[in-house]
Amino acid sequence: MKKFFPYFLVVLWLIFIVISVCAGIFEFQEMLAYDFLLRHRPTQQVNPEIVIIEISDDTLKGLGRWPLPRDYHADLIEILSKNGCRSIVFDILFSEPSGADVRLELAMKESGRVYLPFAFRLENKRGEAVAQEVLGGVTDTLKSAVYGVGHINIFVDNDGKSRRLPLWVKRNDQSWPALGFLAAAHYLGKEPASIAVPFDLRTGIWVNYPGAWLKTFRHFSYLDIIQSAAAAKKGEVPRLELSLFRNKICFIGLTAAGTSDFRANPVDPVYPMVGTQASICNSILQGAYIRRLGNFLRVLINFMLFFIGLWLALKLAPLVAFACSFLLAAGYIFTAQVLFNIRGVFYDIFFPVSSLIFVYSGVLLVKFFREVQARRLMEKELEIAAQIQRNFLPADLGDLGELKLRLFLQPAKFVGGDFYDVILLDEHRFGIFIADVSGKGISAALIMAKAISLLRILARDALDPGKLLSVLSSHLKSDLDSRFITGQYLIIDLRDYSFIGASAGHPPLIFLSRGSGRIEELIPASGPPLGLVDNFSYTVVKGQFLPGDKIFMYTDGWIEARDSQGKEFGALRLKEVLSRLTDQGIDNLLAALKQAYEAHRARALQHDDLTAVILERK
Amino acid sequence: MALKISVMSKDDGVVILCLVGSLDTETHTELEVRGRKELDKSPKGMILDFKSLDYISSMGISALLLLQKQAQVRGVSLVVTNIPPQIDEVFKIVKALPQESIFASMEEADRYLLGIQKKIKEDQQ
């Protein structure tokens, strides 16, 4: 069951991907990503035949409050028509009758190229945009004069932005095209229904805003046109050359500040609605559409990114996987932007990239917990190994004749390479061995196990410390490769408390004389460590224990102990500490030495195994 | 502490490995890998310059011994020179390296290796 759990999670996530895409769970986030693409796209080329005639602040100042008297609109139609304008598209609702409607109707009839808008209250029925009622339309007087009528409805997303509009609105078995769409179709000499436009019945058409309002389309002031015509009539030089409106599609709309005909969109926080219709018109004329990939492809892309992310997280080391995932995400976003810029195609960004982050984090977390578990297991095994290793070593034997013996070992890790042994050779003699395997940890501990076993076999036969070291070294040579063991062997005769010893690469022992109060180093290394050479003759050194004398045998963990600044305890300091303890018992000596060591090490980690064998003649 | 190894090849075919830092449990594999790489190029001799080496542990000595063994197998003379006092102290205690492969200065090491090479040439003739 546990084995299949990861697969179950993967399947669960795949199902979640399908549901998320189809149900649009992350639609809001994907729309933000869509906005990012649109904003970072270069400003698009607009058809030069499309112009915007703005009823802006200057117009309202010059001609009066909004709504403008319809005589002005009649004037505008006459001026534009006289100057060869192709289409005059009002993004202004003429829902209520007015006194000037007769004049306006006449102007529209004479022009024969005027478009007016409808606005509906919409209901999405079975995916289609269906008009429940007319919110604003065309008066009966003007209906007969208008050339075309289109709707100006838009879809507003939850964040208040307008990204799409219904290309068609159905009402009473009649379908009304969007105003800009209608104007474009007629400009092309076609009916709207004959133009293949990629749109979704449910979601409409994505408005291909060419760019920020002021950076796109040619903008003209309504007031300037009226005044230019008046000036031309008077024979004065007009502000605007009105012939430039020849063959143009003129969109007329309210853009004065503080008026309500604005809506936020991805490229502008405040975008006039007349611009939306102009953008649709431009999109049709340029054949430049924005398309969203279908659900199937979106799910496929999500699956692909998920599996690639999963593979990276599972197969690669965490940092490498992170770098690759980051590059993958960056590449994915970059590709999305390029595809959008070139082809107008967009697909999900937020969810696939989030999925990538999620799968990386998830796998990393699982790996981390597995590591923690493995580490705990390892620590348990090491504790067992440490116990086994401690069992190898002799227990504190207490007193041997007049000699007191203390044995101390503190590994740097759970297990280590330092060891000691006490071997009873006969009723009068015993040997003391102290050794240090090169390196630390498990490998040193394994070598230690072999060495101590060999030592116990060989020690009983070789009474000469030098000979023992030589034979032991030869036996170990083939097994140690380039590793080695420093070792010191002492044989003590309890009849006269004399001792003989030899050292193979091991630090000399420290002899503390009670009588003189002096300390000296005895039995220095007379040859290389064990395991390096065959049949080496190690020099044997003799000595004598007097009552009160002490011997301190140790491994280099003491002198190489480092403080937090990396400074070593050092051989000199060791001798200095010991020299102050010549009249102390070995228990006090050991305690004082440990205290000095701990004070030196303070918070630094124990660097090496710490071993000591201390003997005192009572 | 880290270990940096810089390599310099001399015209006479001898390669010098300058060790900087600490040769210990964490860093000994760097010497093993780099040393083996240089030995594979069949130099006439190899000098380990310890002038900037601050510390050597027993694992560091093991790495040195391993490199020495590998050099011996390939017939390359390996010597150590410019040993700082603290490391010299360790070598004196441990006596792991033969005295004839330790030199106080680069010049002495050069002379020794030159002598070895001359001897090899004479033997070949």
Side-chain angles (χ1 to χ4, degrees):
Chain A
M1 188 65 191
K2 219 174 171 180
K3 199 172 99 179
F4 294 109
F5 187 67
Y7 298 102
F8 171 72
L9 284 179
V10 167
V11 169
L12 210 64
W13 189 252
L14 295 178
I15 294 171
F16 180 66
I17 287 175
V18 174
I19 294 171
S20 298
V21 169
C22 296
I25 291 177
F26 297 105
E27 190 64 7
F28 173 72
Q29 290 83 358
E30 296 302 347
M31 286 302 100
L32 293 179
Y34 168 77
D35 294 352
F36 173 88
L37 294 178
L38 204 55
R39 272 199 304 274
H40 289 84
R41 185 178 66 165
T43 302
Q44 304 291 289
Q45 239 188 341
V46 295
N47 192 302
E49 305 305 298
I50 300 174
V51 300
I52 310 289
I53 297 173
E54 295 192 44
I55 303 173
S56 191
D57 296 308
D58 63 325
T59 304
L60 296 184
K61 201 174 172 184
L63 300 180
R65 286 170 50 182
W66 181 257
L68 286 178
R70 291 184 186 177
D71 284 312
Y72 285 124
H73 297 318
D75 288 340
L76 183 76
I77 290 168
E78 285 166 6
I79 294 164
L80 292 175
S81 302
K82 186 176 160 188
N83 282 281
C85 177
R86 181 83 174 265
S87 309
I88 302 167
V89 186
F90 279 89
D91 187 21
I92 298 165
L93 289 168
F94 297 103
S95 315
E96 302 299 322
S98 140
D101 277 358
V102 172
R103 179 149 178 253
L104 183 59
E105 181 201 355
L106 196 62
M108 283 167 63
K109 266 185 181 159
E110 277 185 18
S111 169
R113 63 197 84 177
V114 176
Y115 295 80
L116 293 183
F118 263 96
F120 300 106
R121 186 188 306 284
L122 292 183
E123 136 190 29
N124 242 20
K125 211 172 184 179
R126 283 195 304 277
E128 281 184 296
V130 173
Q132 281 185 317
E133 61 173 304
V134 176
L135 288 176
V138 183
T139 60
D140 291 332
T141 315
L142 299 175
K143 252 184 207 166
S144 60
V146 78
Y147 184 71
V149 180
H151 77 78
I152 52 170
N153 283 91
I154 55 170
F155 289 131
V156 179
D157 292 325
N158 290 342
D159 56 358
K161 286 185 186 171
S162 167
R163 297 179 180 90
R164 299 161 291 121
L165 57 82
L167 205 60
W168 295 93
V169 170
K170 208 167 181 177
R171 180 172 157 82
N172 299 333
D173 294 324
Q174 195 176 355
S175 289
W176 299 90
L179 186 65
F181 176 34
L182 179 68
H186 286 170
Y187 187 90
L188 294 170
K190 294 179 180 177
E191 286 305 309
S194 67
I195 299 180
V197 176
F199 78 103
D200 190 286
L201 267 177
R202 187 170 61 88
T203 58
I205 185 173
W206 296 89
V207 181
N208 193 356
Y209 296 104
W213 175 240
L214 292 173
K215 288 183 183 171
T216 52
F217 301 115
R218 290 180 72 184
H219 298 252
F220 297 96
S221 162
Y222 187 109
L223 177 68
D224 281 350
I225 296 170
I226 300 290
Q227 287 179 344
S228 294
K233 219 171 181 179
K234 285 181 203 169
E236 291 165 7
V237 176
R239 199 175 174 160
L240 272 178
E241 186 46 64
L242 295 173
S243 62
L244 60 81
F245 289 104
R246 178 170 297 283
N247 214 38
K248 296 289 186 276
I249 309 171
C250 298
F251 281 85
I252 301 135
L254 179 66
T255 63
T259 57
S260 59
D261 209 17
F262 289 85
R263 180 67 65 181
N265 68 21
V267 296
D268 239 324
V270 179
Y271 198 86
M273 295 312 298
V274 64
T276 303
Q277 296 304 322
S279 297
I280 286 291
C281 180
N282 181 61
S283 190
I284 306 293
L285 292 183
Q286 303 289 84
Y289 305 108
I290 290 178
R291 277 164 288 227
R292 190 179 195 180
L293 287 188
N295 283 353
F296 174 74
L297 284 174
R298 286 164 63 203
V299 164
L300 211 62
I301 287 170
N302 269 284
F303 277 10
M304 215 170 64
L305 219 62
F306 168 71
F307 280 116
I308 294 173
L310 186 65
W311 185 89
L312 289 173
L314 287 173
K315 292 291 178 192
L316 304 178
L319 272 178
V320 177
F322 173 78
C324 290
S325 300
F326 177 81
L327 286 171
L328 179 64
Y332 179 80
I333 295 169
F334 178 76
T335 308
Q337 183 70 69
V338 166
L339 210 62
F340 185 73
N341 291 358
I342 297 172
R343 306 287 299 191
V345 170
F346 83 96
Y347 46 85
D348 298 352
I349 291 179
F350 172 80
F351 188 42
V353 171
S354 302
S355 190
L356 197 61
I357 296 169
F358 177 75
V359 80
Y360 171 79
S361 308
V363 169
L364 199 67
L365 209 63
V366 166
K367 278 185 176 176
F368 171 74
F369 282 119
R370 279 193 184 155
E371 283 278 331
V372 168
Q373 206 176 21
R375 186 182 267 266
R376 281 201 188 129
L377 207 67
M378 170 84 88
E379 279 175 7
K380 265 194 187 147
E381 305 234 335
L382 284 172
E383 275 165 12
I384 294 168
Q387 186 54 51
I388 292 171
Q389 193 178 45
R390 278 192 292 273
N391 293 342
F392 266 121
L393 300 173
D396 212 321
L397 297 172
D399 296 352
L400 291 161
E402 287 175 26
L403 290 178
K404 279 163 89 171
L405 175 68
R406 291 293 176 267
L407 306 162
F408 172 74
L409 194 150
Q410 184 176 294
K413 301 186 183 191
F414 283 96
V415 291
D418 278 10
F419 65 96
Y420 48 70
D421 206 1
V422 179
I423 304 148
L424 295 170
L425 299 169
D426 56 38
E427 60 192 274
H428 305 296
R429 282 181 288 235
F430 69 93
I432 294 184
F433 194 92
I434 188 168
D436 178 357
V437 179
S438 63
K440 288 191 278 284
I442 295 171
S443 58
L446 290 171
I447 294 171
M448 170 263 184
K450 165 122 197 201
I452 203 169
S453 307
L454 265 176
L455 169 71
R456 284 170 180 174
I457 295 166
L458 298 170
R460 292 185 197 286
D461 295 334
L463 297 180
D464 183 316
K467 281 208 178 96
L468 172 80
L469 292 179
S470 180
V471 171
L472 188 57
S473 181
S474 299
H475 275 88
L476 289 168
K477 187 164 175 281
S478 54
D479 295 330
L480 295 188
D481 197 14
S482 65
R483 303 285 285 266
F484 56 84
I485 305 173
T486 69
Q488 196 173 61
Y489 186 45
L490 210 61
I491 294 178
I492 298 165
D493 195 326
L494 290 172
R495 287 170 293 194
D496 59 0
Y497 296 95
S498 62
F499 58 82
I500 51 172
S503 169
H506 201 83
L509 61 82
I510 297 176
F511 186 86
L512 294 86
S513 168
R514 178 72 184 261
S516 64
R518 279 192 0 251
I519 67 169
E520 58 181 312
E521 289 179 332
L522 288 183
I523 315 181
S526 58
L530 307 172
L532 292 180
V533 291
D534 282 316
N535 304 318
F536 191 87
S537 288
Y538 293 94
T539 309
V540 177
V541 174
K542 291 183 185 174
Q544 182 70 48
F545 260 116
L546 295 175
D549 289 346
K550 290 183 268 293
I551 275 178
F552 180 75
M553 299 167 81
Y554 63 97
T555 58
D556 61 4
W558 290 93
I559 53 180
E560 289 182 4
R562 292 186 201 161
D563 62 12
S564 50
Q565 268 83 48
K567 192 174 166 218
E568 290 186 349
F569 193 75
L572 276 174
R573 178 114 182 258
L574 177 70
K575 281 186 268 188
E576 186 209 24
V577 171
L578 287 171
S579 66
R580 288 191 252 117
L581 301 164
T582 48
D583 58 348
Q584 297 287 316
I586 55 174
D587 291 317
N588 288 346
L589 187 146
L590 185 59
L593 206 51
K594 276 157 76 177
Q595 201 175 19
Y597 165 80
E598 290 299 340
H600 172 79
R601 188 170 69 88
R603 281 198 222 117
L605 290 172
Q606 183 178 339
H607 177 246
D608 198 357
D609 301 335
L610 216 56
T611 305
V613 175
I614 315 174
L615 293 133
E616 182 186 20
R617 186 175 171 191
K618 285 188 260 193
Chain B
M1 219 164 106
L3 177 73
K4 281 198 189 123
I5 303 175
S6 58
V7 178
M8 193 174 66
S9 296
K10 291 167 62 178
D11 294 335
D12 57 3
V14 170
V15 66
I16 303 174
L17 271 66
C18 296
L19 276 64
V20 180
S22 172
L23 182 58
D24 54 31
T25 312
E26 275 90 45
T27 60
H28 73 274
T29 46
E30 288 173 42
L31 176 63
E32 286 168 20
V33 167
R34 197 65 202 267
R36 197 174 19 230
K37 189 175 164 190
E38 295 306 321
L39 284 176
D40 286 345
K41 294 177 191 172
S42 304
K44 294 269 189 317
M46 183 178 275
I47 301 176
L48 299 182
D49 188 346
F50 278 18
K51 188 170 59 191
S52 303
L53 192 66
D54 297 320
Y55 174 80
I56 191 166
S57 76
S58 55
M59 275 315 288
I61 296 175
S62 288
L64 200 54
L65 293 170
L66 182 65
L67 193 61
Q68 195 175 50
K69 209 186 258 183
Q70 288 169 348
Q72 246 172 12
V73 164
R74 287 165 172 79
V76 176
S77 295
L78 186 144
V79 299
V80 179
T81 186
N82 290 332
I83 301 172
Q86 71 274 18
I87 294 178
D88 193 41
E89 200 54 41
V90 172
F91 281 164
K92 279 188 180 134
I93 293 170
V94 173
K95 292 183 169 48
L97 284 181
Q99 273 303 119
E100 57 268 21
S101 61
I102 300 175
F103 295 90
S105 68
M106 191 64 74
E107 291 72 29
E108 281 182 27
D110 277 339
R111 269 201 298 275
Y112 172 77
L113 288 175
L114 195 63
I116 296 273
Q117 285 175 63
K118 269 190 183 152
K119 194 173 180 303
I120 293 171
K121 268 192 190 146
E122 280 164 12
D123 288 347
Q124 280 171 352
Q125 282 162 3

